Coordinates of all heavy atoms in Angstrom, one line a residue:
M1027 N 0.8 -1.2 0.0 CA 0.0 0.0 0.0 C 0.9 1.3 0.0 O 0.6 2.2 -0.7 CB -0.9 0.0 1.2 CG -1.9 1.1 1.2 SD -3.3 0.6 2.1 CE -4.2 2.1 2.3
Q1028 N 1.9 1.3 0.8 CA 2.8 2.4 0.9 C 3.5 2.6 -0.5 O 3.7 3.7 -0.9 CB 3.8 2.3 2.0 CG 4.6 3.5 2.2 CD 5.5 3.4 3.4 OE1 5.7 2.3 4.0 NE2 6.1 4.5 3.8
S1029 N 3.9 1.4 -1.1 CA 4.6 1.5 -2.4 C 3.6 2.1 -3.5 O 4.1 2.8 -4.4 CB 5.1 0.2 -2.8 OG 4.0 -0.7 -3.0
D1030 N 2.3 1.9 -3.3 CA 1.4 2.5 -4.3 C 1.4 4.0 -4.1 O 1.3 4.8 -5.1 CB -0.1 2.0 -4.0 CG -0.2 0.5 -4.5 OD1 0.6 0.1 -5.3 OD2 -1.2 -0.1 -4.0
S1031 N 1.4 4.5 -2.9 CA 1.5 5.9 -2.6 C 2.7 6.6 -3.2 O 2.7 7.6 -3.8 CB 1.4 6.2 -1.1 OG 0.2 5.8 -0.6
I1032 N 3.8 5.9 -3.0 CA 5.1 6.3 -3.5 C 5.1 6.4 -5.0 O 5.6 7.3 -5.6 CB 6.3 5.5 -3.0 CG1 6.4 5.7 -1.5 CG2 7.6 5.8 -3.7 CD1 7.4 4.7 -0.8
A1033 N 4.5 5.4 -5.6 CA 4.4 5.3 -7.1 C 3.6 6.5 -7.6 O 3.9 7.1 -8.6 CB 3.8 4.0 -7.5
L1034 N 2.5 6.8 -6.9 CA 1.6 7.9 -7.3 C 2.4 9.2 -7.3 O 2.3 10.1 -8.1 CB 0.4 8.0 -6.5 CG -0.7 6.9 -6.8 CD1 -1.8 7.0 -5.7 CD2 -1.3 7.1 -8.2
I1035 N 3.1 9.4 -6.2 CA 3.9 10.6 -6.0 C 5.0 10.7 -7.1 O 5.2 11.8 -7.7 CB 4.5 10.7 -4.6 CG1 3.4 10.9 -3.6 CG2 5.5 11.8 -4.5 CD1 3.8 10.7 -2.1
E1036 N 5.7 9.6 -7.3 CA 6.7 9.6 -8.3 C 6.2 9.9 -9.7 O 6.8 10.7 -10.5 CB 7.5 8.3 -8.3 CG 8.4 8.1 -7.2 CD 9.0 6.7 -7.1 OE1 8.5 5.8 -7.8 OE2 10.0 6.5 -6.4
D1037 N 5.0 9.4 -10.0 CA 4.3 9.6 -11.3 C 4.0 11.1 -11.4 O 4.2 11.7 -12.5 CB 3.1 8.8 -11.4 CG 2.4 8.9 -12.8 OD1 3.1 8.8 -13.8 OD2 1.2 9.1 -12.8
A1038 N 3.4 11.7 -10.4 CA 3.1 13.1 -10.4 C 4.3 14.0 -10.6 O 4.3 14.9 -11.4 CB 2.4 13.5 -9.1
L1039 N 5.4 13.7 -9.9 CA 6.6 14.4 -10.1 C 7.2 14.3 -11.5 O 7.7 15.2 -12.1 CB 7.7 14.0 -9.0 CG 7.4 14.5 -7.6 CD1 8.4 13.8 -6.6 CD2 7.6 15.9 -7.5
R1040 N 7.1 13.1 -12.0 CA 7.6 12.8 -13.3 C 6.8 13.6 -14.4 O 7.4 14.2 -15.3 CB 7.5 11.3 -13.7 CG 8.4 10.9 -14.8 CD 8.4 9.3 -14.9 NE 9.0 8.7 -13.8 CZ 8.3 7.9 -12.9 NH1 7.1 7.7 -13.0 NH2 8.9 7.4 -11.9
R1041 N 5.5 13.7 -14.2 CA 4.7 14.5 -15.1 C 5.1 16.0 -15.0 O 5.2 16.7 -16.1 CB 3.2 14.4 -14.8 CG 2.6 13.1 -15.3 CD 1.0 13.2 -15.3 NE 0.5 13.8 -14.1 CZ -0.1 13.2 -13.1 NH1 -0.1 11.9 -13.1 NH2 -0.6 13.8 -12.1
V1042 N 5.3 16.5 -13.8 CA 5.7 17.9 -13.7 C 7.0 18.1 -14.3 O 7.2 19.1 -15.1 CB 5.7 18.3 -12.2 CG1 6.3 19.7 -12.0 CG2 4.3 18.3 -11.6
L1043 N 8.0 17.3 -14.0 CA 9.3 17.5 -14.6 C 9.3 17.4 -16.1 O 10.0 18.1 -16.8 CB 10.3 16.5 -13.9 CG 10.6 16.8 -12.5 CD1 11.5 15.6 -11.9 CD2 11.2 18.1 -12.2
D1044 N 8.5 16.4 -16.6 CA 8.5 16.2 -18.1 C 7.9 17.4 -18.8 O 8.2 17.7 -19.9 CB 7.7 15.0 -18.4 CG 8.4 13.7 -18.1 OD1 9.7 13.8 -17.8 OD2 7.8 12.6 -18.1
T1045 N 6.9 18.1 -18.1 CA 6.2 19.2 -18.8 C 6.9 20.6 -18.5 O 6.6 21.6 -19.2 CB 4.8 19.3 -18.4 OG1 4.7 19.4 -17.0 CG2 4.0 18.0 -18.9
H1046 N 7.7 20.7 -17.5 CA 8.4 21.9 -17.2 C 9.7 22.0 -18.0 O 10.7 21.4 -17.7 CB 8.7 22.1 -15.7 CG 7.6 22.7 -14.9 ND1 6.5 22.0 -14.5 CD2 7.5 23.9 -14.4 CE1 5.7 22.8 -13.9 NE2 6.3 23.9 -13.8
K1047 N 9.6 22.8 -19.1 CA 10.7 23.0 -20.0 C 11.2 24.4 -19.8 O 10.8 25.1 -18.8 CB 10.4 22.6 -21.4 CG 9.9 21.2 -21.6 CD 9.4 21.0 -23.0 CE 8.9 19.5 -23.0 NZ 8.2 19.2 -24.2
A1048 N 12.0 24.9 -20.7 CA 12.5 26.2 -20.6 C 11.4 27.2 -20.7 O 11.5 28.3 -20.0 CB 13.5 26.5 -21.8
S1049 N 10.4 26.9 -21.4 CA 9.2 27.9 -21.5 C 8.1 27.4 -20.6 O 7.8 26.2 -20.5 CB 8.7 27.9 -23.0 OG 7.6 28.7 -23.1
P1050 N 7.4 28.4 -20.0 CA 6.3 28.0 -19.2 C 5.0 27.8 -20.0 O 3.9 27.5 -19.5 CB 6.1 29.3 -18.3 CG 6.6 30.4 -19.1 CD 7.8 29.8 -19.9
W1051 N 5.1 28.0 -21.3 CA 3.9 27.8 -22.2 C 3.9 26.4 -22.7 O 4.9 25.9 -23.3 CB 4.0 28.8 -23.4 CG 3.9 30.2 -22.9 CD1 5.0 31.1 -22.7 CD2 2.7 30.9 -22.6 NE1 4.5 32.3 -22.3 CE2 3.1 32.2 -22.2 CE3 1.4 30.6 -22.7 CZ2 2.2 33.2 -21.9 CZ3 0.5 31.5 -22.3 CH2 0.8 32.8 -21.9
L1052 N 2.7 25.7 -22.6 CA 2.6 24.3 -23.0 C 1.5 24.2 -24.0 O 0.5 25.0 -24.0 CB 2.1 23.5 -21.8 CG 3.0 23.6 -20.5 CD1 2.4 22.7 -19.4 CD2 4.4 23.1 -20.8
D1053 N 1.7 23.3 -25.0 CA 0.7 23.0 -25.9 C -0.4 22.1 -25.3 O -0.3 21.8 -24.1 CB 1.2 22.3 -27.2 CG 1.9 21.0 -26.9 OD1 1.8 20.4 -25.8 OD2 2.6 20.5 -27.8
S1054 N -1.5 21.8 -26.0 CA -2.6 21.1 -25.4 C -2.1 19.7 -24.9 O -2.6 19.3 -23.8 CB -3.7 20.9 -26.4 OG -4.3 22.1 -26.7
K1055 N -1.3 19.0 -25.6 CA -0.9 17.7 -25.2 C -0.1 17.8 -23.9 O -0.3 17.0 -23.0 CB 0.0 17.1 -26.3 CG 0.4 15.7 -26.0 CD 1.2 15.1 -27.1 CE 1.7 13.7 -26.8 NZ 2.5 13.1 -27.9
S1056 N 0.9 18.7 -23.8 CA 1.7 18.9 -22.6 C 0.8 19.3 -21.4 O 1.0 18.9 -20.3 CB 2.8 19.8 -22.8 OG 3.7 19.3 -23.8
A1057 N -0.1 20.2 -21.7 CA -1.0 20.7 -20.6 C -1.9 19.6 -20.1 O -2.1 19.5 -18.9 CB -1.8 21.9 -21.1
A1058 N -2.4 18.8 -21.0 CA -3.2 17.6 -20.6 C -2.4 16.7 -19.7 O -2.8 16.2 -18.7 CB -3.7 16.9 -21.8
L1059 N -1.1 16.4 -20.1 CA -0.3 15.5 -19.3 C 0.0 16.1 -18.0 O -0.1 15.5 -17.0 CB 1.1 15.3 -20.1 CG 2.1 14.4 -19.4 CD1 1.6 13.0 -19.3 CD2 3.4 14.5 -20.2
Y1060 N 0.2 17.4 -17.9 CA 0.5 18.1 -16.7 C -0.7 18.0 -15.7 O -0.6 17.8 -14.5 CB 0.7 19.6 -17.0 CG 1.1 20.5 -15.8 CD1 2.4 20.5 -15.4 CD2 0.2 21.2 -15.1 CE1 2.8 21.3 -14.3 CE2 0.5 22.0 -14.1 CZ 1.9 22.1 -13.7 OH 2.2 22.9 -12.6
L1061 N -2.0 18.1 -16.3 CA -3.2 18.0 -15.5 C -3.6 16.5 -15.3 O -4.6 16.3 -14.5 CB -4.3 18.8 -16.1 CG -4.1 20.3 -16.2 CD1 -5.3 20.9 -16.9 CD2 -4.0 20.9 -14.8
G1062 N -3.0 15.6 -16.0 CA -3.4 14.2 -15.8 C -4.7 13.9 -16.6 O -5.5 13.0 -16.1
T1063 N -4.9 14.6 -17.7 CA -6.1 14.3 -18.5 C -5.7 14.1 -19.9 O -4.6 13.8 -20.2 CB -7.1 15.5 -18.3 OG1 -8.3 15.2 -18.9 CG2 -6.6 16.8 -18.9
T1064 N -6.6 14.2 -20.9 CA -6.3 14.0 -22.3 C -6.4 15.3 -23.1 O -7.2 16.2 -22.7 CB -7.2 13.0 -22.9 OG1 -8.6 13.5 -22.9 CG2 -7.2 11.7 -22.1
P1065 N -5.7 15.4 -24.2 CA -5.9 16.5 -25.1 C -7.4 16.7 -25.6 O -7.8 17.8 -25.7 CB -5.0 16.2 -26.3 CG -3.9 15.3 -25.7 CD -4.7 14.5 -24.7
G1066 N -8.1 15.6 -25.7 CA -9.5 15.7 -26.1 C -10.3 16.4 -25.0 O -11.2 17.1 -25.3
T1067 N -10.0 16.1 -23.8 CA -10.7 16.7 -22.7 C -10.4 18.2 -22.7 O -11.3 19.0 -22.5 CB -10.3 16.1 -21.3 OG1 -10.7 14.7 -21.3 CG2 -11.0 16.9 -20.2
M1068 N -9.2 18.6 -23.0 CA -8.8 20.0 -23.0 C -9.6 20.7 -24.1 O -10.1 21.8 -23.9 CB -7.3 20.1 -23.3 CG -6.4 19.5 -22.3 SD -6.5 20.1 -20.6 CE -5.6 21.6 -20.8
K1069 N -9.8 20.0 -25.3 CA -10.5 20.6 -26.4 C -12.0 20.8 -26.0 O -12.6 21.8 -26.3 CB -10.4 19.7 -27.6 CG -11.0 20.3 -28.8 CD -10.7 19.4 -30.1 CE -11.3 20.0 -31.3 NZ -11.1 19.2 -32.5
V1070 N -12.6 19.8 -25.3 CA -14.0 19.9 -24.9 C -14.1 21.0 -23.9 O -15.1 21.8 -24.1 CB -14.4 18.5 -24.3 CG1 -15.8 18.7 -23.6 CG2 -14.5 17.4 -25.4
W1071 N -13.2 21.1 -23.0 CA -13.3 22.3 -22.0 C -13.3 23.6 -22.8 O -14.0 24.5 -22.4 CB -12.2 22.2 -21.0 CG -12.3 21.1 -20.0 CD1 -13.5 20.5 -19.6 CD2 -11.3 20.6 -19.1 NE1 -13.2 19.6 -18.6 CE2 -11.9 19.7 -18.3 CE3 -10.0 20.9 -18.9 CZ2 -11.2 19.0 -17.3 CZ3 -9.3 20.2 -18.0 CH2 -9.9 19.3 -17.1
R1072 N -12.3 23.7 -23.7 CA -12.3 25.0 -24.5 C -13.6 25.3 -25.2 O -14.1 26.4 -25.2 CB -11.1 25.0 -25.5 CG -9.7 25.1 -24.9 CD -8.7 25.3 -25.9 NE -8.7 24.4 -27.1 CZ -8.0 23.3 -27.1 NH1 -7.3 22.9 -26.1 NH2 -8.1 22.5 -28.2
S1073 N -14.1 24.3 -25.8 CA -15.4 24.5 -26.6 C -16.6 24.9 -25.7 O -17.5 25.6 -26.1 CB -15.7 23.2 -27.4 OG -16.2 22.2 -26.5
R1074 N -16.5 24.4 -24.4 CA -17.6 24.8 -23.5 C -17.3 26.0 -22.6 O -18.1 26.4 -21.8 CB -17.8 23.6 -22.5 CG -18.3 22.3 -23.1 CD -18.5 21.3 -22.1 NE -19.0 20.0 -22.7 CZ -19.1 18.9 -22.0 NH1 -18.7 18.8 -20.8 NH2 -19.6 17.8 -22.6
G1075 N -16.1 26.6 -22.8 CA -15.7 27.7 -22.0 C -15.4 27.3 -20.6 O -15.5 28.1 -19.7
E1076 N -14.9 26.1 -20.4 CA -14.6 25.6 -19.1 C -13.1 25.3 -19.1 O -12.3 25.6 -20.0 CB -15.3 24.3 -18.9 CG -16.8 24.4 -18.9 CD -17.5 23.0 -18.8 OE1 -16.8 22.0 -18.8 OE2 -18.7 23.0 -18.8
G1077 N -12.6 24.8 -18.0 CA -11.2 24.4 -17.9 C -10.3 25.6 -17.6 O -10.7 26.7 -17.3
P1078 N -9.0 25.3 -17.7 CA -8.0 26.3 -17.5 C -8.0 27.4 -18.6 O -8.4 27.2 -19.7 CB -6.7 25.6 -17.4 CG -6.9 24.3 -18.2 CD -8.4 24.0 -18.1
R1079 N -7.5 28.6 -18.2 CA -7.3 29.7 -19.1 C -6.3 29.2 -20.2 O -5.3 28.6 -19.9 CB -6.8 30.9 -18.4 CG -6.6 32.1 -19.2 CD -6.2 33.3 -18.3 NE -6.0 34.4 -19.1 CZ -5.2 35.4 -18.8 NH1 -4.6 35.4 -17.6 NH2 -5.0 36.4 -19.6
Y1080 N -6.6 29.7 -21.4 CA -5.7 29.4 -22.5 C -5.5 30.6 -23.4 O -6.3 31.6 -23.3 CB -6.2 28.2 -23.4 CG -7.5 28.4 -24.0 CD1 -7.6 28.9 -25.3 CD2 -8.7 28.2 -23.4 CE1 -8.8 29.2 -25.9 CE2 -9.9 28.4 -24.0 CZ -10.0 28.9 -25.2 OH -11.2 29.1 -25.8
H1081 N -4.6 30.5 -24.3 CA -4.2 31.7 -25.1 C -4.1 31.1 -26.6 O -3.6 30.0 -26.8 CB -2.9 32.3 -24.7 CG -2.9 32.8 -23.3 ND1 -3.3 34.0 -22.9 CD2 -2.6 32.1 -22.2 CE1 -3.2 34.2 -21.6 NE2 -2.8 33.0 -21.1
I1082 N -4.6 31.9 -27.5 CA -4.5 31.6 -28.9 C -3.4 32.4 -29.5 O -3.4 33.7 -29.4 CB -5.8 31.9 -29.7 CG1 -7.0 31.1 -29.1 CG2 -5.6 31.5 -31.2 CD1 -6.9 29.6 -29.2
I1083 N -2.4 31.8 -30.1 CA -1.2 32.5 -30.6 C -1.3 32.4 -32.2 O -1.6 31.3 -32.7 CB 0.1 31.8 -30.2 CG1 0.1 31.5 -28.7 CG2 1.3 32.6 -30.7 CD1 0.6 32.5 -27.8
Q1084 N -1.2 33.5 -32.8 CA -1.2 33.6 -34.3 C -2.5 33.0 -34.9 O -2.5 32.4 -35.9 CB 0.0 33.0 -34.9 CG 1.3 33.7 -34.5 CD 2.5 33.0 -35.1 OE1 2.5 31.9 -35.6 NE2 3.7 33.6 -34.9
Q1085 N -3.6 33.2 -34.2 CA -4.9 32.8 -34.6 C -5.1 31.3 -34.8 O -6.0 30.8 -35.4 CB -5.3 33.5 -35.9 CG -5.4 35.0 -35.7 CD -5.7 35.7 -36.9 OE1 -5.7 35.2 -38.0 NE2 -6.0 37.0 -36.8
K1086 N -4.1 30.4 -34.3 CA -4.2 29.0 -34.5 C -3.6 28.1 -33.5 O -4.0 27.0 -33.3 CB -3.7 28.6 -35.9 CG -2.2 28.9 -36.1 CD -1.8 28.5 -37.5 CE -0.3 28.8 -37.7 NZ 0.2 28.5 -39.0
L1087 N -2.6 28.6 -32.8 CA -1.9 27.8 -31.8 C -2.5 28.0 -30.4 O -2.6 29.1 -29.9 CB -0.4 28.2 -31.7 CG 0.4 28.0 -33.0 CD1 1.8 28.5 -32.9 CD2 0.4 26.6 -33.5
V1088 N -2.9 26.9 -29.8 CA -3.4 27.0 -28.4 C -2.3 26.7 -27.4 O -1.6 25.7 -27.6 CB -4.6 25.9 -28.2 CG1 -5.0 25.9 -26.8 CG2 -5.7 26.1 -29.2
R1089 N -2.2 27.6 -26.5 CA -1.1 27.5 -25.5 C -1.7 27.8 -24.1 O -2.5 28.6 -23.9 CB 0.1 28.5 -25.7 CG 0.8 28.1 -27.0 CD 1.6 26.8 -26.9 NE 2.3 26.5 -28.1 CZ 1.9 25.7 -29.1 NH1 0.7 25.2 -29.0 NH2 2.6 25.5 -30.2
Y1090 N -1.1 27.0 -23.1 CA -1.5 27.2 -21.7 C -0.3 27.6 -20.9 O 0.8 27.0 -21.2 CB -2.0 25.8 -21.2 CG -3.3 25.3 -21.8 CD1 -3.2 24.5 -23.0 CD2 -4.5 25.6 -21.2 CE1 -4.4 24.1 -23.5 CE2 -5.7 25.1 -21.8 CZ -5.6 24.4 -22.9 OH -6.8 23.9 -23.5
H1091 N -0.4 28.5 -20.0 CA 0.7 28.9 -19.2 C 0.6 28.1 -17.9 O -0.5 27.8 -17.4 CB 0.6 30.4 -18.8 CG 1.8 30.9 -18.3 ND1 2.2 30.8 -16.9 CD2 2.8 31.6 -18.8 CE1 3.4 31.3 -16.7 NE2 3.8 31.8 -17.9
V1092 N 1.7 27.6 -17.5 CA 1.8 26.8 -16.3 C 1.1 27.4 -15.1 O 0.4 26.7 -14.3 CB 3.3 26.4 -15.9 CG1 3.4 25.6 -14.6 CG2 3.9 25.5 -17.1
D1093 N 1.3 28.7 -14.9 CA 0.6 29.4 -13.8 C -0.9 29.3 -13.9 O -1.6 29.1 -12.9 CB 1.0 30.9 -13.7 CG 2.5 31.1 -13.4 OD1 3.1 30.1 -12.8 OD2 3.0 32.2 -13.6
D1094 N -1.5 29.3 -15.1 CA -2.9 29.2 -15.3 C -3.4 27.8 -15.0 O -4.4 27.6 -14.4 CB -3.3 29.6 -16.7 CG -3.1 31.1 -17.0 OD1 -3.3 31.9 -16.1 OD2 -2.8 31.4 -18.2
L1095 N -2.5 26.8 -15.3 CA -2.9 25.4 -15.0 C -2.9 25.2 -13.5 O -3.8 24.5 -13.0 CB -1.9 24.4 -15.7 CG -1.9 24.5 -17.3 CD1 -0.8 23.6 -17.8 CD2 -3.2 24.1 -17.8
D1096 N -1.9 25.7 -12.9 CA -1.8 25.6 -11.4 C -3.0 26.3 -10.7 O -3.6 25.7 -9.8 CB -0.5 26.2 -10.9 CG 0.7 25.4 -11.2 OD1 0.6 24.2 -11.6 OD2 1.8 25.9 -11.2
A1097 N -3.4 27.4 -11.2 CA -4.6 28.2 -10.7 C -5.8 27.3 -10.9 O -6.7 27.3 -10.0 CB -4.7 29.5 -11.4
F1098 N -5.9 26.7 -12.0 CA -7.1 25.8 -12.3 C -7.2 24.7 -11.3 O -8.2 24.4 -10.8 CB -7.0 25.3 -13.8 CG -8.1 24.3 -14.1 CD1 -9.4 24.7 -14.3 CD2 -7.8 23.0 -14.2 CE1 -10.4 23.8 -14.6 CE2 -8.7 22.0 -14.5 CZ -10.0 22.4 -14.7
V1099 N -6.0 24.1 -11.0 CA -6.0 23.0 -10.1 C -6.4 23.4 -8.7 O -7.1 22.7 -8.0 CB -4.6 22.3 -10.1 CG1 -4.5 21.3 -8.9 CG2 -4.3 21.6 -11.4
R1100 N -6.0 24.6 -8.3 CA -6.4 25.2 -7.0 C -7.8 25.7 -7.0 O -8.2 26.2 -5.9 CB -5.4 26.3 -6.7 CG -4.0 25.9 -6.4 CD -3.1 27.0 -5.8 NE -3.1 28.2 -6.7 CZ -2.2 28.5 -7.6 NH1 -1.2 27.6 -7.8 NH2 -2.3 29.6 -8.3
G1101 N -8.5 25.7 -8.1 CA -9.8 26.2 -8.2 C -10.0 27.7 -8.3 O -11.0 28.3 -8.0
E1102 N -8.9 28.3 -8.8 CA -8.8 29.8 -8.9 C -9.0 30.2 -10.4 O -8.3 31.1 -10.9 CB -7.5 30.3 -8.4 CG -7.2 30.0 -7.0 CD -5.8 30.3 -6.5 OE1 -5.0 30.8 -7.4 OE2 -5.5 30.0 -5.4
V1103 N -9.9 29.6 -11.1 CA -10.1 29.8 -12.5 C -10.7 31.2 -12.7 O -11.8 31.5 -12.2 CB -11.0 28.7 -13.1 CG1 -11.2 29.0 -14.6 CG2 -10.4 27.4 -12.9
A1104 N -10.1 32.0 -13.5 CA -10.6 33.3 -13.9 C -10.5 33.3 -15.4 O -9.4 33.4 -16.0 CB -9.8 34.4 -13.3
R1105 N -11.6 33.3 -16.1 CA -11.6 33.2 -17.6 C -11.6 34.6 -18.2 O -12.2 35.5 -17.8 CB -12.7 32.4 -18.1 CG -12.6 31.0 -17.5 CD -13.0 29.8 -18.4 NE -12.8 29.9 -19.8 CZ -11.8 29.4 -20.4 NH1 -10.7 28.9 -19.8 NH2 -11.7 29.4 -21.7

């Protein structure tokens, strides 16, 4: 049981480290990995006006800032 908890913590840390690169801006796939969900869920949230704050770059690229993802997890969503 304790090893399961350790595995969950290690997995969460691995996700954070894998998604924290030089830039704090993540694409949908990386943002989904960071939140532990799927890119499809991110797309559904965007279409419904839900989920974390996102930014459209050059009228086509969807990007999420790590600070906005963290705020979403904490329940501090401001759209």
Side-chain angles (χ1 to χ4, degrees):
M1027 184 154 170
Q1028 187 176 12
S1029 64
D1030 290 339
S1031 297
I1032 292 171
L1034 287 172
I1035 293 168
E1036 288 175 343
D1037 184 50
L1039 285 171
R1040 201 171 296 111
R1041 281 198 317 260
V1042 170
L1043 292 173
D1044 287 347
T1045 57
H1046 271 78
K1047 299 176 184 168
S1049 173
W1051 295 97
L1052 305 177
D1053 61 12
S1054 292
K1055 183 177 178 181
S1056 297
L1059 181 63
Y1060 186 85
L1061 294 177
T1063 189
T1064 66
T1067 297
M1068 303 296 283
K1069 185 175 182 178
V1070 168
W1071 284 344
R1072 287 193 309 270
S1073 72
R1074 293 180 179 172
E1076 301 171 355
R1079 182 175 175 203
Y1080 63 92
H1081 304 267
I1082 304 292
I1083 314 270
Q1084 298 177 351
Q1085 299 177 347
K1086 61 182 177 180
L1087 302 174
V1088 177
R1089 293 294 180 263
Y1090 296 87
H1091 196 279
V1092 173
D1093 292 342
D1094 293 327
L1095 298 175
D1096 290 340
F1098 174 73
V1099 170
R1100 290 189 306 267
E1102 302 170 0
V1103 179
R1105 301 217 32 96

